[in-house]
Amino acid sequence: MRSLPARSLPSVSNTTAGMSTYTESPLQGDERDLEQAGNGHETLSHRPHQLDPKPSEAEIHAALYPPKPRWRRYLSAIRWFLFDQWFLLVLGLLVLIASQVQVPGAHQQKKETVVTYLCVSVIFLITGLTLPTRVLVENYARWKLHLFVQSQSFLMTSATVYAVVSLCATNRNFMDPGLLVGMIFTGCVPTTISSNVVMTRQAHGNQALTVVQSTLGNFLGPFLTPLLIKMYTASGAWYTEILAHTDAGGLGELYRRVFMQLGLSLFLPLVVGQIIQNLFPKPTKKIFIDWKLSKFGSLCLLIIIWQTFDQAFESGAFRSLKDNNIIFIVFISIAYYILWTAICVALSIPWLDKKDTIAVAYCVPAKTPAMGVPLSAVMFSELSTITKSKIQIPMVIFQGFQIAGGSLMTLAFRRWLQSDEERQGSKKVHERDDNSGNG
């Protein structure tokens, strides 16, 4: 009978719990089979059980969420864009509708009054219901920031526009004089209110600061805008000849109408919202925050924008202009918005936090047709309807691009804030865990 070579058998050691464990043995599979045959009975395997290493988080995630087919990823991306940027898509659809079908001229004034008061009131009622009173009061007290924002909104923007107009005016055959005056007028009007508040909320910026700066700008607008326009048009340039028979004699009526509108459609709904929020905090939070009813403000803003474009198309001002003039206004409006946003963001980052910077980025470059239209109607009341419409066209076109640009910027601003928001969320979780541990 063939002899087997000497070999070391597995040693057995007792653990503290009284159970046996096997140590590594040099026996290989064929030798163990021979050993089992020589012993005449089956034995437990002497090969130690090797535990698999702990899987990484990436491997766990890959196992739980296998990669989707490419077409499903594309479909998910398209679905996300439609839900996230629905405002911009609906805006484009409404502008298209306004270009084809308009409210009859006899009902334009009634439509403007209803939309201006009703929709703006709803937006600021929702703002009052969702903004904490303490935050609102704290932002009204930041006077240095008021000077920073309002000086850019009135002076920086108007000076930039005047420089461009002066260059365009070197060629009398290039631009319509009504459009050149309209460009100056656009640079001098205050920031818008409704879209600023809605966009800042969507971008997760400091909504209270936006409310404060927008209302302050619209309070100063009726006083500063006429003075700035008089200053820039007093140069005697050829395009100012269309203003020869205008004066500021109707500003008293303008002040009455504008401040009545501000009081009824802005301050009153804001105060009512604050009172309801403090009297019924839990129901208010559930309805407007948890149920997301605050998005109704976005729908009201879309109606405001639609009525502005509807009025512009109904007047026929677009049809009276050369195509190259319209194309120039479109591209210069885009350039204005990019330039003004870049300047105010660059000046804000060194001394403001991210949420405040986002609020400033929406307040400074924006311009309001809601106040610009009645301002122009009073200041240029002696001009023909077609000339007044030409003066308003740069403002109307700019509004479309400021809404589109602001809506797209919400994506960039939310991504910019994402790391800070995640860090704050993690900090709150740790603080809650520490408090529960100490309790």
Side-chain angles (χ1 to χ4, degrees):
M1 185 175 181
R2 183 167 58 90
S3 60
L4 296 174
R7 48 181 195 264
S8 59
L9 295 174
S11 61
V12 179
S13 60
N14 294 330
T15 64
T16 57
M19 300 181 63
S20 298
T21 59
Y22 290 97
T23 59
E24 182 72 29
S25 169
L27 290 174
Q28 301 302 317
D30 56 344
E31 296 177 335
R32 292 177 181 173
D33 292 339
L34 290 174
E35 180 186 20
Q36 292 172 4
N39 293 337
H41 56 82
E42 293 286 335
T43 61
L44 293 173
S45 174
H46 294 180
R47 181 173 297 177
H49 179 65
Q50 298 291 335
L51 294 175
D52 293 333
K54 182 180 180 181
S56 64
E57 292 184 3
E59 291 173 337
I60 295 174
H61 186 275
L64 294 176
Y65 307 101
K68 297 179 180 179
R70 181 174 297 179
W71 67 270
R72 292 193 65 181
R73 294 201 300 271
Y74 290 152
L75 185 62
S76 298
I78 293 173
R79 187 186 300 114
W80 173 85
F81 181 81
L82 291 177
F83 278 101
D84 190 76
Q85 293 299 311
W86 67 271
F87 185 93
L88 181 60
L89 299 174
V90 175
L91 171 63
L93 179 62
L94 290 177
V95 172
L96 178 62
I97 294 173
S99 67
Q100 302 302 315
V101 182
Q102 298 90 36
V103 174
H107 302 291
Q108 282 288 332
Q109 184 61 43
K110 184 183 296 183
K111 176 207 66 176
E112 180 185 355
T113 302
V114 171
V115 169
T116 300
Y117 279 93
L118 181 60
C119 292
V120 174
S121 297
V122 171
I123 289 174
F124 278 90
L125 177 63
I126 293 174
T127 301
L129 288 166
T130 54
L131 268 182
T133 304
R134 178 184 56 82
V135 176
L136 203 58
V137 172
E138 287 177 353
N139 280 276
Y140 266 112
R142 303 172 68 179
W143 62 271
K144 291 182 180 179
L145 193 53
H146 300 337
L147 293 175
F148 176 74
V149 173
Q150 301 305 325
S151 62
Q152 292 183 84
S153 181
F154 284 103
L155 300 180
M156 183 267 288
T157 58
S158 63
T160 305
V161 172
Y162 182 69
V164 174
V165 169
S166 299
L167 291 175
C168 293
T170 56
N171 184 357
R172 284 175 173 260
N173 299 320
F174 177 47
M175 291 289 291
D176 186 286
L179 292 181
L180 293 178
V181 174
M183 290 170 64
I184 293 177
F185 187 83
T186 301
C188 296
V189 297
T191 187
T192 186
I193 299 177
S194 306
S195 62
N196 283 351
V197 174
V198 173
M199 295 297 176
T200 305
R201 183 192 304 129
Q202 293 178 353
H204 301 172
N206 187 345
Q207 186 183 350
L209 180 60
T210 298
V211 171
V212 170
Q213 297 303 329
S214 299
T215 53
L216 181 60
N218 279 260
F219 182 83
L220 296 174
F223 301 101
L224 295 181
T225 297
L227 294 177
L228 289 172
I229 293 173
K230 288 291 183 181
M231 180 181 71
Y232 288 123
T233 57
S235 61
W238 63 269
Y239 57 86
T240 63
E241 294 174 0
I242 63 173
L243 306 177
H245 301 291
T246 61
D247 56 45
L251 290 182
E253 174 63 21
L254 169 68
Y255 295 152
R256 186 193 67 80
R257 186 171 67 248
V258 168
F259 288 120
M260 183 179 69
Q261 177 181 331
L262 286 175
L264 294 179
S265 64
L266 193 154
F267 292 112
L268 180 61
L270 187 66
V271 172
V272 171
Q274 289 285 292
I275 293 173
I276 295 175
Q277 179 194 163
N278 286 279
L279 291 178
F280 310 101
K282 291 184 178 179
T284 302
K285 181 178 182 299
K286 186 175 186 62
I287 294 173
F288 290 94
I289 304 298
D290 298 342
W291 293 357
K292 300 185 183 299
L293 198 62
S294 59
K295 290 187 178 294
F296 190 67
S298 300
L299 297 177
C300 293
L301 176 59
L302 286 170
I303 297 175
I304 294 173
I305 299 170
W306 162 79
Q307 81 88 13
T308 304
F309 277 91
D310 178 84
Q311 185 178 36
F313 281 111
E314 196 278 333
S315 69
F318 284 104
R319 294 190 296 270
S320 66
L321 296 173
K322 296 184 293 185
D323 292 340
N324 64 339
N325 282 192
I326 296 294
I327 293 173
F328 178 81
I329 293 296
V330 167
F331 281 99
I332 200 64
S333 297
I334 297 173
Y336 284 151
Y337 191 79
I338 294 174
L339 176 64
W340 295 342
T341 303
I343 290 175
C344 68
V345 169
L347 294 176
S348 300
I349 288 178
W351 70 291
L352 296 177
D353 62 28
K354 291 182 179 181
K355 288 183 177 291
D356 288 350
T357 300
I358 291 173
V360 173
Y362 279 110
C363 290
V364 169
K367 297 297 178 179
T368 174
M371 180 172 290
V373 170
L375 274 170
S376 64
V378 173
M379 292 188 65
F380 311 124
S381 59
E382 298 181 9
L383 301 179
S384 64
T385 302
I386 193 70
T387 302
K388 287 190 290 186
S389 296
K390 287 180 181 180
I391 292 175
Q392 294 172 3
I393 280 178
M395 180 171 48
V396 172
I397 292 178
F398 181 81
Q399 187 199 31
F401 285 103
Q402 83 181 16
I403 296 295
S407 182
L408 291 175
M409 283 199 309
T410 59
L411 301 174
F413 283 142
R414 287 202 299 263
R415 184 178 296 273
W416 188 39
L417 280 174
Q418 186 175 6
S419 59
D420 290 355
E421 290 177 342
E422 291 177 350
R423 192 181 307 114
Q424 291 176 0
S426 177
K427 182 179 179 181
K428 290 181 180 178
V429 171
H430 288 311
E431 290 177 352
R432 187 166 58 249
D433 292 343
D434 292 343
N435 292 334
S436 61
N438 293 333

